[in-house]
Structures are given as C-alpha cells and as structure tokens.
Amino acid sequence: MIEEGSKSSKSMVEKRQLFMEMRAQNFDVIRLSTYRTACKLRFVQKRCNLHLVDVWNMIEAFRDNGLSTLDLNAEINVSRLETILSSIFYQLNKRLPTTHQINVEQSIGLLLNFIVATYDSEGHGKLTVFAMKAMLATMCGGKILDKLRYIFSQISDSNGVMVFAKFDQFLREVLKLPTAVFEGPSFGYTEHSVRTCFPQQKKILLNTFLDVLMADPPPQYLVWLPLMHRLANVENVFHPVECSYCRSESMMGFRYRCQQCHGYQLCQSCFWRGHASGPHSNQHQMKEHSSWKSPAKKLSHAISKSLGCMPIGEPPHPVFPEAAERHQDLAHTTQQRPVANNMNDTIVISSGTPTPSKSTLESPSRLDEEHRLIARYAARLAAEASNSTQCPPTDLSFNFDANKQQRQLIAELENKNREILQEIQRLRLEHEQASQPTPEKAQQNPTLLAELRLLRHRKDELERRMSALQESRRELMVQLEGLMRLLKDEEQKQAAQTGGSPHSSPSHSASCTMPMPIRSTSAGSTPTHTPQDCLAGVGDDVLDAFSQGVPRNLRNDLLVAADSITNTMSSLVKELHSVDDRLEEEEENMRNGREKVSSLKHPGKRHFTPSF
C-alpha cells in the first residue's frame, strides 16, 4: 500500500511538472489572449521537443505504428500511446547529431502526461485515434501548409470534399489545446464554430480550406495556430531599433510600430504587456513586423512600387488540383515549390481588440492585380484539369515515388554506415590484440626457437673456451718471458767465463741450471730450479729444445709456439663470429615471419618493426 501511494504521488508530480514550469514563465502578464495562448502552446511544444519532429516524420510514425489502417473513431489505451510516442522520439534521436541528443524518457513522460490531461481528463485511460492525430499534427514542427493539407486529408471524403461533421470533430479536438493551457474562455468550442469558419461555402475543397485557414486574419477560433508558427519563425530575428518604452537598443522577435505616433516602436515584451509612454495610447493601431529592412531598402521598395516595377506577390499557398482524390495520409508527399508566407511580414493590429484585424484598405491598382492573378490561376487550373485526363500519373504521384526512393536511399546509406563503423571497431580491436605480447606468439615456430637456444648455448661455450685460452696465453707469455731472461743471463755468464761473445759456446747452455721465478697456475707452489720443471706446461717444441743434446734456436721455437696459440685463438674468434651471424639471421627470419602473419591478418595496414 505504501508503494502504491508513492507511485501515485510521483505520477501526480509528473503530471503537474509541465504546468508548473509553464506558470513559472509568467505568460499570464500578456494582455492579448491570442499571444498568450500562442506563447503557452509554443512553450509546451519546445519543452516536449515536438518542434524537432517534422509533420512528415509524424505521419511516417503513424503509418509505422499501424494507425493509418484504423478507424478514426477507434480508441487506443495509454500504453499504446506511450509506445507510439517512444517510437517518435527514438527515431528523432537517430536523426539528430550526437551533440544535440534529447532526453527521450523525459520527453515521453512530459508529452504523455499533457495528452492524457488534455484528452482524458475523466481518467478513462483511452482516447480516439483522431484526437491523437489532430493533437500531434497540430503541435509538431513543420510548415503550417503541410499540416493543414494532412488535416484536410483526414476530414475529407473520397471525392476530395470536406465533411462538415469531421471538421466539427476536428475543432472539438484541437480547441482542447487552448483549454488545457487555461485559455478556454477565449478559444473554447461552441456549436457555431464550423459556420463561423465557413459562413457561406457549402462545398469546401482543398484550396478553399487553405484560403480560409491561412487568410489574414484567420478564423477567430484558430487565430492562435498561425501565430504560433510566426513565433517560431521570429525567435531569432534581430531588429537594430530602440524600444520607445523600455529604451532597449535592440529587439528580438516581433517589432510593433504605431500607425499614428511617428517613429514610436515597441518591442514584443512591452507591447504584449500593454506598456505605453508619451502621447501613445494602447488604443492606437500597431503594425507587426517580423523582419528588419534598412532605410535604403525601404526607399528602393517605395520607388519600385511607385514606378510599377513591383512583382506581383504570390498567394499564401500554391493552387492544388481539385480533382477527386482517394483518401490518403500524405505519407510521402512533398511540397512542389517553396511557399512565401506573406502573413509573416506585416500585420496591422488594433490594440483595443484581443486579436489581429485586417490591414488598411487596398488601392484599386492592387485589386486589379489580384483579379488578374486570380484569372491566371483559373486558366492554369483549367489547363491542369484538361491534361489530367491525358496523363494519369500526376506530379503528386511522381513526388510520392521520388520521396519514397530518397527515404529508401537514406535508409540504405545509414545501414552501410553502421556496417562500416562496426568493421572499423573490429579491426581496431584486432590491432590492439595483435600489438600485445601473448604466450601463443612465443610458440609459433618451436623448431626455430629450439635451434636458436642451441646456437646461444654454443656461443656461450665458445666464449668460455675463448676466455680460458686467453688466460692460458697470458700465462704462457709470462713463462716465455722468464725463459728468455734465463737464456740471456746464461749466455752472458758463459761469455764472461770464456771471454768470448755470447754466441760462441751455445753447446753448454743445455747443461746449466736455470732458476725460474715463475709460478705454476695449476699447483700454486714455487717450482724447483731444474729446466724440466721450469718447462712444465709449455709446448712440445720447447721441451724438445731443452731435452735434446743438439743445440737449437730456442727463440724461434718459442715464437712458433706462440704463433700456434695465436692461430688457435683466431679460429675460435672466427667460429664465434659465425655463430653470431647465424643468430642474427635466425632472428631476422623470425621477424619477417611475424610481419607476414601480421600483414595477412591486417591487409590494409603496414607495421614498422625497428631493427636491433
């Protein structure tokens, strides 16, 4: 029970949230009910993000959710309405860039609560399909011409003639919007609303319907609808003019100029609140401007008008063929040409009345131009009617097909874009995985790795052997140096005894004792002074030189022994270098193999491997 109470209280807060925010805007200070109603509905439209949804996207959402096949008087529950709104806003987020994404859940909640409060005030939990279509088509974004064409397709019969009962139903539903924003007394529904809009016409076709609803001024009950579109068009319009009341140096939005007080202009905020100063009065007529023209442009405009060079203005809407058409939802129609909305430029407003009124009387020349324009459009309409019997496929059907093909092309491009993004993400992940060292890469070629280990082991052995040989060579050279000193001393002694040259009696050198002050590295003790013990550990050539009785050249024999050791060392160094070369070659082969594997995995990329 506590949870149900908390949910119901939360639902009540969500329902009141939009209305509380609207009250905070203080729209009630606006003096004229027309502007007050238009500002409130424009706030609801922007707060629910409906201004971002075009009328054509809304029609497409109706068709995708199966509403085109339902009867207009059929009822749908609130859960299905929420599903329809979800599809509308989620599709909107797909069309918007990532920097302009909207809060979908919040938009759905606000709009759903507003629709329920407007069309299900008694709490039945249901509303008709026609009410939902009328509300969403009126409050969404887009051009007013496209909205009115879609609304006419919903209230006309198979012959293209408006059904007054359906138009009456449309007024009932659409006038609930001003009532929902607390403007029911000014724009509430009455039984005479239909005849007020069409007082004399009995057969209403599309062009007549557009003429009446887009006229200046429009019908009293719907005067807020075109004003809401004009508000959207002038929100960012800048006027470099000073306001005569608040003294603001510039204006944004509408600008109002008094028809009686020269040079008296008001910004939209001061005019809406009824501010006046000096000789100006709120009863004076004010002209509404939605754009700014420089004095030079005004002068050229006046000169062109006086010389008769002004082009004939276009009608407020294009003339559509009035041939009988089947009932359609206009899901894929496009506007045939851009429409110049003449209502947006200047509108004369009487400050004493709450709604805009007709501007000044037109000159006879202006009326003649309009008569010629009507005659031209009548001739064009007759020509199109005669050509329609010969050419069954009309421009409208061509536009249907063209727009459908464009939508299909856009959908295909979006799918292709998604596939490309997925492929890019996949390749990026593969590249990141390939760049990281893994245990599997170490086992790509076990035979090659085993051979490399053997070569490294062989290299280590050769380095150890070379170190041992270098140490033996150093010891041998020390021993040779000692032997050379002993030989030299012995020769000097013999020369002193005999009185001859050092080389006169070499035969006695073998029998003399030669003390040798060297240490044996293997035993670590002091050797004896016998030649045989002194020559322990030297080569065979040296031993032969001391053991034989025949005198030999010991110097040459010692040099030969040293050369043999040097040659052995050189062969070891060459073998060590060959092992190094083989190691480098095997490592280069392994790097090349890894590059080939990487190029096969990533054909579009080239990897740079630094050399060691």
Side-chain angles (χ1 to χ4, degrees), residues 270-506:
C270 294
F271 176 75
W272 289 354
R273 286 159 176 77
H275 295 161
S277 62
H280 178 70
S281 173
N282 289 332
Q283 302 300 321
H284 292 177
Q285 280 192 344
M286 302 290 288
K287 179 177 285 189
E288 180 185 278
H289 294 269
S290 59
S291 61
W292 164 253
K293 293 181 181 178
S294 62
K297 192 172 183 180
K298 290 181 180 178
L299 179 62
S300 63
H301 181 82
I303 294 174
S304 301
K305 187 175 181 180
S306 62
L307 296 176
C309 300
M310 289 292 297
I312 299 176
E314 294 186 358
H317 66 85
V319 178
F320 296 97
E322 295 180 351
E325 296 180 356
R326 297 181 59 186
H327 183 75
Q328 56 187 358
D329 62 349
L330 300 179
H332 297 289
T333 57
T334 57
Q335 188 174 342
Q336 297 181 359
R337 58 176 178 172
V339 179
N341 193 352
N342 295 333
M343 296 188 300
N344 291 343
D345 190 10
T346 57
I347 295 178
V348 176
I349 298 175
S350 176
S351 299
T353 59
T355 58
S357 63
K358 191 67 177 177
S359 58
T360 58
L361 294 177
E362 299 172 342
S363 61
S365 60
R366 179 70 176 178
L367 293 175
D368 293 338
E369 290 179 358
E370 288 188 357
H371 287 309
R372 289 195 297 270
L373 182 63
I374 293 172
R376 188 181 300 113
Y377 274 112
R380 183 184 300 176
L381 182 60
E384 290 177 355
S386 62
N387 293 332
S388 62
T389 57
Q390 300 176 0
C391 302
T394 61
D395 293 339
L396 191 61
S397 62
F398 176 75
N399 289 331
F400 290 165
D401 298 336
N403 198 3
K404 185 176 181 180
Q405 292 176 359
Q406 291 176 359
R407 292 178 185 275
Q408 292 177 354
L409 180 60
I410 291 173
E412 292 176 359
L413 292 176
E414 289 179 351
N415 294 332
K416 189 65 176 178
N417 187 27
R418 283 193 294 269
E419 293 177 359
I420 293 174
L421 291 176
Q422 293 175 358
E423 183 67 18
I424 291 174
Q425 186 67 20
R426 185 183 64 81
L427 293 175
R428 185 177 298 166
L429 292 175
E430 290 183 358
H431 176 66
E432 292 178 354
Q433 294 175 359
S435 62
Q436 296 178 356
T438 56
E440 290 79 5
K441 292 185 179 180
Q443 300 177 0
Q444 289 180 355
N445 196 344
T447 305
L448 185 60
L449 293 177
E451 187 175 356
L452 286 175
R453 283 194 295 269
L454 291 176
L455 287 174
R456 290 194 181 95
H457 183 66
R458 175 64 175 169
K459 180 181 178 181
D460 295 338
E461 290 181 353
L462 290 175
E463 288 178 351
R464 287 194 297 270
R465 184 178 175 187
M466 184 176 180
S467 299
L469 288 175
Q470 288 177 349
E471 184 66 21
S472 301
R473 182 184 180 186
R474 185 183 64 81
E475 294 175 355
L476 180 61
M477 295 303 294
V478 171
Q479 293 178 3
L480 289 175
E481 185 179 359
L483 289 174
M484 294 297 293
R485 284 199 300 270
L486 291 175
L487 289 175
K488 187 175 181 181
D489 293 339
E490 185 65 22
E491 289 178 355
Q492 291 177 356
K493 289 179 181 180
Q494 292 180 1
Q497 292 176 2
T498 58
S501 63
H503 301 284
S504 59
S505 59

